[in-house]
Amino acid sequence: MQAAGVVFLMSLLVFSGVFLIGDPVEMLIAEDAEESDREMVKRNLGLDQPYYVQYLRFVAAALRGNLGDSFVFEEPALLLILDRMPATFELAIFALLLAIVIGIPLGMWAGLKPESISARTIMTSSILGFSLPTFWVGIMMIMLFAVVLGWLPSTGRGPTQSFLGLQVSFLSMEGWSHLILPAVNLALFKLSLVIRLARAGTREVMHQDYIKFARAKGVSRSRIILVHVLKNILIPVVTVLGLEFGGLVAFSVVTETVFAWPGMGRLLIESISTLDRPVIVAYLMIIVLLFVLINLVVDVLYSVLDPRVRLTDVKG
Amino acid sequence: MNRFLTRAALGAIAAIFISSAAMADNATLGIRTEPSSIDPHFHNLGPNNGMLGQIFGRLVEWSPDMRTLIPRLATSWKAINDTTWEFKLRTGVKFHDGSDFTADDVVFSFNRADNYVGGNSGFRTYTKGKTVKKIDDHTIHISTKAPYPLMPNDMATVLILSSDAKGTGEKDKNFGVSARDFNNGSATIGTGPYKFVEWKKGDRIVLEKYAGYKGPLAQPWDKMTFKFIKSEPSRVSALLAGDVDLIDNVPAEDIATLKKNNKVTLSQGVSSRVMYLHMDQFRDQSPFVTDKNGKPLDKNPLRDPRVRKALSLMIDRASIVKNVMSGVAIPAGQFLPEGFFGRSQKLKPDPYDPAAAKKLLAEAGWGDGFGLTIHGPNDRYVNDAKICEAIGQMFSANGIPTKVVTMPGNVFFKRANGGPKSDPEFSLILVGWGSGTGEPSSPLKALLATYDNAKGLGAANRGRHSDPALDKLLVQALTMVDDTKRGALLAQATELAIGKNYGIIPLHYQVNTWASRKGLKYQARADERSIGINLIKDK
């Protein structure tokens, strides 16, 4: 119920927002087109109608699952976005995996031996991960790995194969070589975040009574770390990463632009510059749904990780 | 050698490097703007016209420098009387599916373009008021009500598709062939030198050589892959990394560095696009013209041609070209650069002459100066915002305190254009105009003819310049079939509208830069298109 309310409110906000900027016809039309052509394009796109009519038409169509046709491509906006979604998800998932697989061990290490030189190095590097702009890091990575060393391609997505009905590129070596740079670029920020969360969590957990008790009981050190500590620091990490994953998908715009990755982020940024309103609106609607969904998944994961959390409300 | 060893050491990863360099007859082009459709009549837009011209044919084609018309699907054309043109069609031409190209295909394509439903501004500007008649399989007549000299130029726009094209669209809409049928390749059957292979939206378009091609265009590659790389630094690094063989729209600030790189060849050519200032010439109280303290004026100095000329003399064009455009522009004194048809031999770019400007201002009664605001887009033309700033400073230094306001094109153009119900919003703007017909009648008609919605004149007359003498000359020129006389009339009209009345102030012509890997070069195109058939081996 609440989610439906959010979606409705969002549709109103987004639609009004894009309605206020500029005139899409000016962006589409050839510069030597005459006024009569202009009027015709306007009519075709339904832009000659007043605002509320346009909105009601949009809502009516949206309820039937049609989010409108792109002004630029004259194809359904939803299909355009879904077409690009696998590319973005692929990138985001690999970035997230990188962040977890590298970030948690590093963070735990830094939390277990906070005074060691290696821990200090890790923490200092994570500051860089936070503070360097994605755009700049992306360009530098291209310069180093593609231009100077020539190890990896600088741009685009590799060949794709069909996997569960989706077009993916991680099944071939060439696909991987295209995926690595943008995924690392996108992961850097999250990686730093995971390191910091894991470190803080580890330091806190290590001083808890149950760890001390486990140790006193003679439980092996590796079991303490891998079971007791890891499980307990995962809760904040999952919360934050869940929300951050939405961010990764929705706003990988910068990475996609730098690496010419054919994902949804680039579609969004190009749609904004050409004022392709249906695509902008459809995109943001999808993102809203995505966030609602992710929140749900995070809640479920909680209950798995921490049995004290129940999905049903506690009656007071 | 070192590089080879590194790769070998990397084992499996090395397999990736079977790229364009290894197979010399394939080309990969990194271009900025993706076409919006494969449907040839969908959108009259530079990137579409460039890409699709390789797949579909036109009756007439421009030479890359836009100075001459080349026979393409038509082998010859002439005006057989005042209102009818005869085009002889090339024989033996076959479509990609093996069917013969005949006059029926021309009639079909012309009608589809003329009656196109949907799309984003198609080619109606070029098809309107023209009737195409088949005489025999390889002859057509195109007639108009009034004499129409620009017929061959207009025929360099509409792309010809097969009248057998079948689609999945609604029967009575665009002959049942919809944009989607072209985008997925099922209806993409042309006569051009290259066949359509695939379009992965947001990523690439792949074309392959058509073995049965007959016509004047070259086929330098077996396969061409166009990758769309919007970000400027990424495009440059893709070239440096060897992932693409050519990039377009080389950023001006990178040109100097690339010039020194011995693995890269730069190709440059002047474009048919002129950058200019347009001034409010129709309001007595112009919204952004003030006195020197920012208070509104009840008189608009910009309506006086002497003031407009004075502004032109305050602009140091050479300095803008050198400092703002990094040398990749040519100072302009009219609509089109050297060598184009209908150009005035008398008009030269105005010199930088502040003393003469002061004198003119005083003569016009504005010796004390006034305040101005210059508006411009900041993402539409090369260095647009920086040009506005430079001009703002030059005006300010010469007694016209000027504010500079720039904004994204998607906001700017609506406000700058106005329309039938609203006036243009600004007082002085920076804009550009690329002449699609390769001669000055298109800018004269659109920018300086009196704004008349019904007649389709002055569609981009954002200053609402209006001069009956010019309108009369223009009508004469637009119906003069004799080339020599028409050229003279157009030159005369330009001299009147720019040289005498300063309806616009021309600044410079853009010079476009392409960069390719060593061993290749690009035949720079004045229409700014980036297409594979102009990427050739450098001897």
Side-chain angles (χ1 to χ4, degrees):
Chain A
M1 236 357 258
Q2 210 182 347
V6 169
V7 172
F8 172 74
L9 199 70
M10 191 65 194
S11 82
L12 194 66
L13 279 176
V14 168
F15 200 87
S16 317
V18 297
F19 188 83
L20 290 175
I21 357 168
D23 181 357
V25 177
E26 297 297 341
M27 302 314 296
L28 293 172
I29 204 142
E31 53 185 5
D32 53 357
E34 290 163 13
E35 201 60 52
S36 55
D37 296 326
R38 231 170 263 266
E39 293 300 315
M40 206 174 64
V41 172
K42 215 173 213 170
R43 254 197 323 281
N44 280 336
L45 300 178
L47 292 172
D48 51 341
Q49 302 292 326
Y51 168 65
Y52 66 93
V53 176
Q54 289 188 36
Y55 180 67
L56 290 178
R57 278 184 183 177
F58 165 75
V59 171
L63 288 176
R64 292 194 303 269
N66 174 6
L67 290 176
D69 280 1
S70 152
F71 289 167
V72 175
F73 299 104
E74 216 173 77
E75 294 197 28
L78 198 59
L79 286 185
L80 281 176
I81 296 168
L82 292 180
D83 194 38
R84 308 250 187 131
M85 206 180 243
T88 296
F89 266 84
E90 188 173 59
L91 192 60
I93 288 171
F94 279 98
L96 195 69
L97 285 179
L98 276 176
I100 295 173
V101 170
I102 302 175
I104 291 184
L106 285 182
M108 285 178 76
W109 177 262
L112 291 171
K113 306 206 177 227
E115 301 305 323
S116 68
I117 294 175
S118 53
R120 283 170 194 275
T121 316
I122 292 170
M123 295 320 290
T124 315
S125 326
S126 82
I127 295 177
L128 287 182
F130 263 116
S131 46
L132 293 177
T134 316
F135 177 77
W136 184 82
V137 174
I139 301 275
M140 287 303 125
M141 281 166 59
I142 293 178
M143 283 311 285
L144 181 62
F145 293 105
V147 178
V148 177
L149 297 173
W151 291 352
L152 294 165
S154 69
T155 182
R157 197 180 182 206
T160 56
Q161 289 85 26
S162 192
F163 176 73
L164 303 176
L166 297 172
Q167 289 296 314
V168 296
S169 67
F170 65 86
L171 295 177
S172 69
M173 277 314 287
E174 199 183 341
W176 269 103
S177 72
H178 279 89
L179 184 58
I180 284 176
L181 283 185
V184 170
N185 183 233
L186 193 60
L188 273 186
F189 187 86
K190 308 298 165 204
L191 179 64
S192 312
L193 194 67
V194 173
I195 290 179
R196 309 216 127 219
L197 285 171
R199 174 178 177 267
T202 310
R203 294 200 67 177
E204 200 188 308
V205 169
M206 283 309 279
H207 296 293
Q208 297 288 327
D209 292 343
Y210 56 84
I211 301 289
K212 286 181 185 151
F213 179 72
R215 225 184 250 168
K217 232 174 76 179
V219 177
S220 74
R221 187 173 160 80
S222 58
R223 187 173 159 79
I224 292 178
I225 293 171
L226 290 180
V227 177
H228 299 286
V229 177
L230 185 62
K231 203 165 177 185
N232 280 291
I233 64 165
L234 273 183
I235 291 182
V237 172
V238 167
T239 317
V240 173
L241 281 188
L243 295 175
E244 291 287 333
F245 180 70
L248 274 182
V249 170
F251 308 112
S252 56
V253 176
V254 174
T255 299
E256 289 187 4
T257 308
V258 171
F259 290 92
W261 188 263
M264 333 193 279
R266 247 178 89 209
L267 179 68
L268 175 70
I269 206 79
E270 277 159 29
S271 300
I272 291 175
S273 69
T274 51
L275 288 182
D276 198 341
R277 289 178 186 167
V279 178
I280 304 175
V281 173
Y283 184 89
L284 294 173
M285 299 310 297
I286 288 178
I287 294 302
V288 171
L289 286 175
L290 187 74
F291 270 91
V292 170
L293 205 73
I294 286 176
N295 273 324
L296 190 72
V297 173
V298 168
D299 283 347
V300 173
L301 274 182
Y302 270 179
S303 68
V304 176
L305 288 170
D306 185 349
R308 285 170 304 179
V309 179
R310 294 269 171 277
L311 283 181
T312 46
D313 287 333
V314 179
K315 298 278 181 322
Chain B
M1 203 53 208
N2 242 341
R3 190 164 148 151
F4 177 74
L5 285 175
T6 321
R7 282 183 192 175
L10 282 165
I13 301 177
I16 301 148
F17 293 92
I18 305 171
S19 65
S20 52
M23 295 176 275
D25 283 317
N26 292 350
T28 308
L29 296 87
I31 63 179
R32 182 170 66 183
T33 315
E34 185 171 9
S36 59
S37 182
I38 305 293
D39 183 335
H41 304 143
F42 179 82
H43 200 170
N44 179 13
L45 187 77
N48 293 35
N49 294 339
M51 181 67 64
L52 301 181
Q54 304 173 97
I55 306 170
F56 300 95
R58 302 179 176 92
L59 292 185
V60 180
E61 188 71 33
W62 280 110
S63 63
D65 65 3
M66 281 186 89
R67 307 299 205 273
T68 30
L69 289 166
I70 302 169
R72 191 166 168 187
L73 284 174
T75 46
S76 66
W77 51 87
K78 61 172 191 274
I80 49 172
N81 60 44
D82 258 3
T83 57
T84 309
W85 284 78
E86 181 178 85
F87 287 80
K88 287 277 181 203
L89 305 182
R90 199 176 288 276
T91 53
V93 172
K94 286 192 187 303
F95 280 98
H96 297 162
D97 64 355
S99 60
D100 288 314
F101 160 74
T102 65
D104 293 323
D105 301 311
V106 180
V107 176
F108 173 83
S109 304
F110 204 87
N111 287 337
R112 185 170 183 273
D114 194 35
N115 298 305
Y116 199 89
V117 181
N120 311 317
S121 106
F123 292 85
R124 205 163 285 109
T125 316
Y126 307 109
T127 58
K128 196 161 27 193
K130 302 188 178 92
T131 320
V132 188
K133 219 172 98 195
K134 172 183 173 179
I135 302 304
D136 60 49
D137 266 359
H138 293 98
T139 313
I140 56 164
H141 283 175
I142 307 180
S143 49
T144 46
K145 284 211 181 72
Y148 193 76
L150 288 178
M151 193 64 80
N153 303 47
D154 281 6
M155 290 308 113
T157 59
V158 181
L159 289 157
I160 308 296
L161 56 110
S162 165
S163 58
D164 298 331
K166 293 280 179 296
T168 55
E170 297 156 49
K171 274 278 157 297
D172 50 352
K173 192 180 161 190
N174 305 329
F175 297 100
V177 203
S178 71
R180 214 170 306 165
D181 299 318
F182 288 97
N183 294 350
N184 66 26
S186 60
T188 314
I189 298 158
T191 57
Y194 284 87
K195 288 193 286 190
F196 176 80
V197 178
E198 63 165 347
W199 181 19
K200 277 193 190 157
K201 284 209 195 77
D203 188 16
R204 68 185 68 188
I205 286 179
V206 182
L207 306 181
E208 80 185 2
K209 189 172 173 174
Y210 169 44
Y213 176 68
K214 191 176 170 195
L217 298 179
Q219 295 177 290
W221 308 101
D222 292 333
K223 193 172 134 198
M224 308 192 297
T225 306
F226 298 81
K227 287 190 177 177
F228 308 110
I229 311 174
K230 199 167 184 117
S231 148
E232 318 275 351
S234 307
R235 220 165 39 245
V236 175
S237 45
L239 177 74
L240 294 177
D243 292 328
V244 296
D245 301 311
L246 174 90
I247 57 169
D248 66 355
N249 291 292
V250 178
E253 54 274 21
D254 286 338
I255 289 175
T257 345
L258 288 177
K259 235 177 212 158
K260 287 186 215 131
N261 188 329
N262 56 15
K263 286 184 196 147
V264 172
T265 304
L266 290 179
S267 310
Q268 293 188 316
V270 63
S271 115
S272 65
R273 186 184 300 282
V274 63
M275 296 302 302
Y276 63 93
L277 301 177
H278 220 149
M279 295 132 291
D280 179 349
Q281 295 158 51
F282 71 107
R283 275 177 287 218
D284 273 327
Q285 282 125 13
S286 196
F288 294 97
V289 181
T290 59
D291 69 8
K292 283 182 128 170
N293 302 316
K295 301 226 173 54
L297 282 174
D298 56 358
K299 229 176 124 204
N300 176 6
L302 298 175
R303 295 191 71 172
D304 189 327
R306 287 171 297 185
V307 174
R308 303 199 289 263
K309 179 168 186 185
L311 290 178
S312 177
L313 292 169
M314 287 176 197
I315 299 170
D316 187 347
R317 290 174 176 75
S319 160
I320 292 181
V321 166
K322 181 163 165 263
N323 300 316
V324 180
M325 302 297 293
S326 312
V328 282
I330 294 172
Q334 51 185 302
F335 295 116
L336 287 161
E338 206 75 52
F340 277 88
F341 178 84
R343 207 176 165 271
S344 159
Q345 294 311 313
K346 288 187 206 142
L347 285 182
K348 299 274 176 284
D350 272 339
Y352 175 55
D353 191 346
K358 277 219 171 78
K359 221 175 115 207
L360 270 170
L361 277 185
E363 246 176 64
W366 293 96
D368 292 335
F370 51 88
L372 260 181
T373 304
I374 174 170
H375 288 87
N378 56 22
D379 57 0
R380 177 70 183 80
Y381 311 105
V382 179
N383 292 335
D384 37 17
K386 288 187 201 159
I387 301 171
C388 287
E389 281 160 24
I391 287 172
Q393 283 168 14
M394 289 169 186
F395 286 171
S396 298
N398 288 297
I400 314 278
T402 304
K403 288 188 211 120
V404 178
V405 179
T406 61
M407 56 193 88
N410 56 17
V411 178
F412 171 80
F413 284 101
K414 181 181 169 68
R415 297 179 62 187
N417 281 7
K421 286 174 212 126
S422 57
D423 285 332
E425 238 181 82
F426 305 130
S427 295
L428 185 121
I429 54 171
L430 170 87
V431 261
W433 185 269
S435 177
T437 51
E439 44 81 77
S441 82
S442 116
L444 277 167
K445 216 170 101 176
L447 307 183
L448 291 172
T450 304
Y451 179 74
D452 185 333
N453 193 3
K455 283 189 202 149
L457 291 172
N461 189 344
R462 301 178 178 109
R464 300 288 188 262
H465 178 82
S466 174
D467 174 12
L470 173 70
D471 294 344
K472 222 174 109 193
L473 256 178
L474 198 53
V475 169
Q476 247 183 304
L478 286 172
T479 50
M480 173 61 69
V481 178
D482 183 290
D483 273 349
T484 323
K485 285 187 192 152
R486 188 171 80 259
L489 281 169
L490 288 171
Q492 197 188 334
T494 311
E495 282 155 20
L496 174 70
I498 297 183
K500 179 157 172 275
N501 289 331
Y502 285 85
I504 62 160
I505 298 177
L507 299 174
H508 56 256
Y509 311 112
Q510 276 183 13
V511 170
N512 294 314
T513 309
W514 287 263
S516 54
R517 67 176 166 82
K518 201 85 192 167
L520 301 178
K521 67 175 177 188
Y522 191 73
Q523 296 167 312
R525 294 190 63 96
D527 53 18
E528 305 184 343
R529 292 173 189 169
S530 302
I531 57 180
I533 54 183
N534 289 119
L535 174 65
I536 53 168
K537 289 177 184 116
D538 193 8
K539 272 148 235 155

